[in-house]
Amino acid sequence: MLQALQQPWPWYVAGALIGLIVPALLILGNKHFGISANLRHACAACFPAGIKFFQYDWKKEIWNFFFVGGILAGAILTTHLIPDPHPVQINAALARELAGYGITDRSSLLPRELFSWSSLFTLRGLIMLVGGGFLVGFGTRYAGGCTSGHAIMGLSDLQWPSLVATVMFMAGGFIMANLLLPFILHL
Amino acid sequence: MKTTTEPINAQPGNTDFEVRSLDTICINESRKQHPWWYNFKYMAVGVLFGVVFVKAEVISWFRIQEMFRLQSFHMYGVIGTAVVVGIISVWLIKKFNIKTIHGEKIEFHPKKFNKGQIYGGLIFGLGWALTGACPGPLFAQVGTGALVVIVVLLSAIAGTWTYGYFREKLPH
């Protein structure tokens, strides 16, 4: 049992559980699944700076902070209680490609060569961590939601603007991973 | 327990409801006022979500790279299954008029199309493949001990703030 929990969970288990978060939040309190709004609430709470977009009663949305607090706690618990002792298994072609950029450490879910404090002070790390984060924050708000709000919640409610957003999420990802990222990883 | 009946945008000077209904998916539908500790139920759902994120490797930078290189079915399977389960759930809620545990009617709002979903979606996609994370996984990545992701998170907040600052000038 413990061994089954430690291994990477199959997609159908993970997908079903993530899908069930949609009705769980609705039934617990009429909340629409979405996470990127937290970034907006953080702006509204800390640096509204007289910007109309951040002038609203963020305290009404405090459930959203509790929700991501739970995600953080869940990840900490999982990492300590049921860690996967094996290196992350990836496609052989990807492993070869990444080795060409000097990325070989698969002992955790994020490659240490890219996600570390020392990497942050390299040009490659700065572009990926600071630049990538900025694009995530700017893009999700511009699109009106992220993968949870549009791809899961929006599609669950058959909203076609969410389908447009989801298709564009994927398009952006394909462009970055295949066309731009090779140059950045070479830095 | 106090129940207010006026719409949530009824307070004088509060115009954000119409702004927010256009561009955020997190409108607080509940008109009921609860003690703050009721929010722990959402934390419990978040914990489950965090566990699934880590165990299914959805937050893994490697898995995101595989997805965008068409080298693995895993992420497509996760997102596809989640959407199917979500669609069935929402359909059941509407069909049987299922209410919240507090007896409220569950509300849905149609989203309006605007060009932000195209431009913003593309920009987010670029960031998704760089960081291997969407906003939810960022918190889970920090939880696995990759503390440098706090910088990614702060940068994402800066990105959101910058969007808010230039919002009126951007095409929507």
Side-chain angles (χ1 to χ4, degrees):
Chain A
M1 179 67 187
L2 185 67
Q3 214 178 2
L5 284 175
Q6 282 183 329
Q7 285 169 356
W9 295 1
W11 55 265
Y12 44 88
V13 173
L17 288 171
I18 292 173
L20 286 174
I21 289 172
V22 169
L25 291 175
L26 288 170
I27 290 170
L28 282 176
N30 234 338
K31 305 296 188 230
H32 285 215
F33 183 32
I35 295 172
S36 61
N38 267 300
L39 306 173
R40 183 183 182 186
H41 304 331
C43 292
C46 303
F47 337 90
I51 297 167
K52 211 175 115 207
F53 190 62
F54 299 125
Q55 288 170 336
Y56 60 92
D57 186 6
W58 61 271
K59 285 181 184 157
K60 279 196 168 166
E61 315 294 337
I62 209 160
W63 75 273
N64 220 276
F65 287 121
F66 277 77
F67 185 54
V68 293
I71 292 175
L72 183 72
I76 294 171
L77 287 173
T78 310
T79 307
H80 287 93
L81 298 180
I82 40 172
D84 183 6
H86 306 291
V88 182
Q89 299 294 311
I90 63 171
N91 186 291
L94 180 64
R96 271 196 306 277
E97 186 195 332
L98 293 180
Y101 309 121
I103 298 166
T104 52
D105 187 344
R106 294 208 294 280
S107 58
S108 61
L109 293 176
L110 305 174
R112 291 180 203 275
E113 290 95 344
L114 294 174
F115 292 85
S116 63
W117 294 103
S118 53
S119 160
L120 183 63
F121 297 103
T122 64
L123 183 60
R124 178 170 84 171
L126 194 72
I127 292 174
M128 294 188 67
L129 302 177
V130 177
F134 189 90
L135 292 174
V136 166
F138 188 95
T140 50
R141 201 68 277 126
Y142 196 174
C146 58
T147 22
S148 55
H150 274 314
I152 311 284
M153 182 67 227
L155 292 186
S156 292
D157 192 25
L158 306 176
Q159 296 288 324
W160 73 268
S162 288
L163 182 62
V164 173
T166 304
V167 168
M168 295 314 290
F169 295 165
M170 298 305 294
F174 276 102
I175 292 169
M176 176 56 75
N178 297 288
L179 303 178
L180 305 175
L181 194 60
F183 292 101
I184 297 170
L185 288 174
H186 264 303
L187 291 173
Chain B
M1 198 190 306
K2 189 177 72 172
T3 307
T4 53
T5 47
E6 75 265 25
I8 50 180
N9 59 333
Q11 297 93 328
N14 181 2
T15 56
D16 70 68
F17 183 74
E18 43 276 45
V19 176
R20 298 174 62 218
S21 61
L22 290 175
D23 57 27
T24 184
I25 32 69
C26 283
I27 305 159
N28 187 343
E29 306 304 340
S30 184
R31 310 280 159 84
K32 292 201 170 181
Q33 311 265 309
H34 290 302
W36 67 273
W37 46 266
Y38 269 55
N39 286 306
F40 280 113
K41 62 192 177 184
Y42 305 113
M43 185 177 271
V45 180
V47 169
L48 170 77
F49 201 22
V51 172
V52 174
F53 265 161
V54 176
K55 287 324 297 184
E57 300 184 336
V58 171
I59 63 162
S60 171
W61 186 86
F62 296 110
R63 287 291 192 187
I64 303 298
Q65 299 308 320
E66 278 183 338
M67 168 173 67
F68 289 131
R69 286 170 174 76
L70 298 175
Q71 292 168 329
S72 165
F73 176 74
H74 184 78
M75 287 298 299
Y76 294 100
V78 171
I79 298 173
T81 311
V83 170
V84 170
V85 171
I87 288 174
I88 295 169
S89 306
V90 170
W91 180 79
L92 286 172
I93 287 173
K94 287 179 175 172
K95 169 134 179 117
F96 295 103
N97 200 14
I98 295 171
K99 298 210 162 30
T100 72
I101 53 171
H102 304 295
E104 277 183 293
K105 181 178 166 40
I106 293 174
E107 291 173 52
F108 296 92
H109 291 268
K111 290 185 197 192
K112 287 202 183 72
F113 173 75
N114 71 65
K115 293 193 203 86
Q117 284 133 13
I118 294 176
Y119 303 132
L122 197 62
I123 292 168
F124 163 64
L126 298 172
W128 188 11
L130 267 180
T131 60
C134 8
L138 284 177
F139 293 92
Q141 288 181 342
V142 175
T144 63
L147 295 183
V148 74
V149 177
I150 292 169
V151 174
V152 185
L153 195 53
L154 292 175
S155 188
I157 292 172
T160 300
W161 190 91
T162 308
Y163 167 72
Y165 187 82
F166 290 110
R167 185 168 191 274
E168 311 295 325
K169 297 189 180 73
L170 294 167
H172 278 90

